[in-house]
Amino acid sequence: FPSSYPLPKFCVSSYFSHTLLLTDFPETVQTHKPHFVALHCQEVGGKNYEASMAHVDCFVKELLSSEALKEYSRARVYLDENYKCQESFTALGSFYFIHDSLKSIQQFDFKAKKFRKVVGRETCTETLEHTPMLEKEKFPQDYFPEVRTRRTVDSFDLVNIHLFHDASNIVACEKSPSVYSGTRQKALGYVLDRITDQRHERLPFFLFGDFNFRLDAKQVIESFCSTATVQTVRAADTNEVDKLIFRETENDRKVVLQLEKKLFNYVNQDVFRENNGTSLLEFDREPSVFKDRLSELEISFPPSYPYSEDSSQGKEYMNTRCPAWCDRIVMCPSARDLVLKPENEEKSVVYDNIGPNVCMGDHKPVFLSFRITAGAGKPNANKHKCCVVQ
């Protein structure tokens, strides 16, 4: 950008429900006034995508025609809707909106191996494998997918990711770290190796999506139930553990926690909301494995999952899983160098959630607002304000 260019903001987003995108998302855009918006979605079409995928096109048209995006005449939308091809279906969606004030934004063509100027609005669905402007990969059965696009502000990669979840609370608490944590660690390591391999020029990257990071269940339960006794209930037909019931040793043997495959019913849900649950961050250990490869700003918002999907309960968690910070925005060290915090603006970097008091579905999106420098490390480099939302 010319040295006299204004300081544009950028906004990156993910895991939005239809209601959020058409209400809270435009509000976020209007509040932060980003000049570049990157919106990452997982589970395009919803959990029942076979029945709901037909509504996605209408939703995209409504979003593109929203008042908040009228000054974003350039856009790229990539939606993996081809659920009939299960061997390659990822259900990932990536939206990119460019404000009219930005004059020279380019996107990388992975086939031609060069950047191309972004002009107009384009929507690409179904056969993303044949789209040269992104890289899509669905890993073997023990991995989850990722999609990458590459853009110039200064140049950086944006990677959309969805990692494996905890299938059973019972299994998750058997050991520390859990077997599921090990699977996610393996998958994320694979993604990082792919991003940083030698196929393309190595650039700073931002990685955001549903990492499905969970608290160390075994350690959490030991902390919550340190003085409780446990009753093990086994299934009559298989003799496998069906539920664990933790009771106080006194106080009429009151149940403190009941655990089943898809039940995490803890007596004091306030612990996940008091001080935004940050006292539990000591059990948020999965990201630490990658501390030399990934950076994340300090978390000060409540766990992002699993919120109640009852529209009247914006702050309540479901009792299906132990609440955790599943939705994250992380970056490589060189990308962190692009995230600048001017000394005279204490609030120029913000990492928070969206819609804290309203129902957003079972995931609460998070955003990162920051300033980025075009031509970092070069004389007269310009600072540009950015907002990234997951």
Side-chain angles (χ1 to χ4, degrees), residues 180-376:
Y180 303 120
S181 174
T183 299
R184 286 188 288 270
Q185 177 182 337
K186 180 181 177 183
L188 182 53
Y190 183 93
V191 171
L192 294 178
D193 289 343
R194 292 285 289 172
I195 295 173
T196 58
D197 63 19
Q198 301 301 314
R199 293 172 300 135
H200 306 288
E201 178 188 0
R202 186 174 298 185
L203 295 177
F205 65 85
F206 295 88
L207 181 62
F208 51 107
D210 181 6
F211 289 83
N212 263 312
F213 287 155
R214 306 301 172 96
L215 304 185
D216 188 315
K218 189 174 188 298
Q219 296 294 322
V220 167
I221 292 172
E222 289 177 356
S223 175
F224 286 177
C225 308
S226 59
T227 61
T229 59
V230 59
Q231 174 188 356
T232 301
V233 180
R234 296 182 178 274
D237 53 345
T238 64
N239 201 38
E240 293 182 353
V241 176
D242 189 50
K243 65 179 67 175
L244 298 172
I245 303 173
F246 297 83
R247 299 178 183 273
E248 294 184 1
T249 53
E250 299 178 354
N251 194 22
D252 296 328
R253 302 275 297 162
K254 180 181 177 181
V255 174
V256 179
L257 171 68
Q258 183 165 325
L259 202 69
E260 298 178 17
K261 180 178 180 180
K262 294 185 178 181
L263 178 71
F264 189 96
N265 192 4
Y266 183 53
V267 67
N268 181 23
Q269 200 183 84
D270 288 341
V271 70
F272 302 108
R273 291 187 291 265
E274 293 171 355
N275 296 317
N276 289 331
T278 51
S279 64
L280 300 173
L281 281 170
E282 65 174 296
F283 304 111
D284 179 54
R285 298 169 181 170
E286 292 191 39
S288 64
V289 177
F290 300 94
K291 62 183 180 181
D292 295 332
R293 304 180 70 180
L294 293 174
S295 294
E296 182 179 22
L297 297 190
E298 181 180 355
I299 291 176
S300 59
F301 49 86
S304 66
Y305 172 86
Y307 280 91
S308 170
E309 296 182 284
D310 183 334
S311 60
S312 66
Q313 298 182 348
K315 290 186 173 182
E316 297 296 316
Y317 290 104
M318 293 187 288
N319 61 2
T320 54
R321 309 287 182 184
C322 177
W325 289 271
C326 293
D327 305 277
R328 317 284 278 253
I329 299 166
V330 300
M331 66 208 77
C332 67
S334 59
R336 186 181 180 90
D337 291 340
L338 297 177
V339 179
L340 302 178
K341 183 177 181 180
E343 295 180 357
N344 60 345
E345 294 189 36
E346 294 182 0
K347 296 183 179 180
S348 63
V349 179
V350 182
Y351 190 27
D352 205 350
N353 66 7
I354 293 178
N357 301 316
V358 297
C359 177
M360 316 282 280
D362 56 351
H363 288 257
K364 194 80 75 174
V366 300
F367 75 93
L368 172 63
S369 175
F370 60 94
R371 290 183 180 273
I372 195 169
T373 299

Side-chain angles (χ1 to χ4, degrees), residues 40 48-49 62 126 140 269 298 364:
H40 283 181
N48 299 316
Y49 50 79
E62 287 190 47
E126 295 195 356
Q269 200 183 84
E298 181 180 355
K364 194 80 75 174

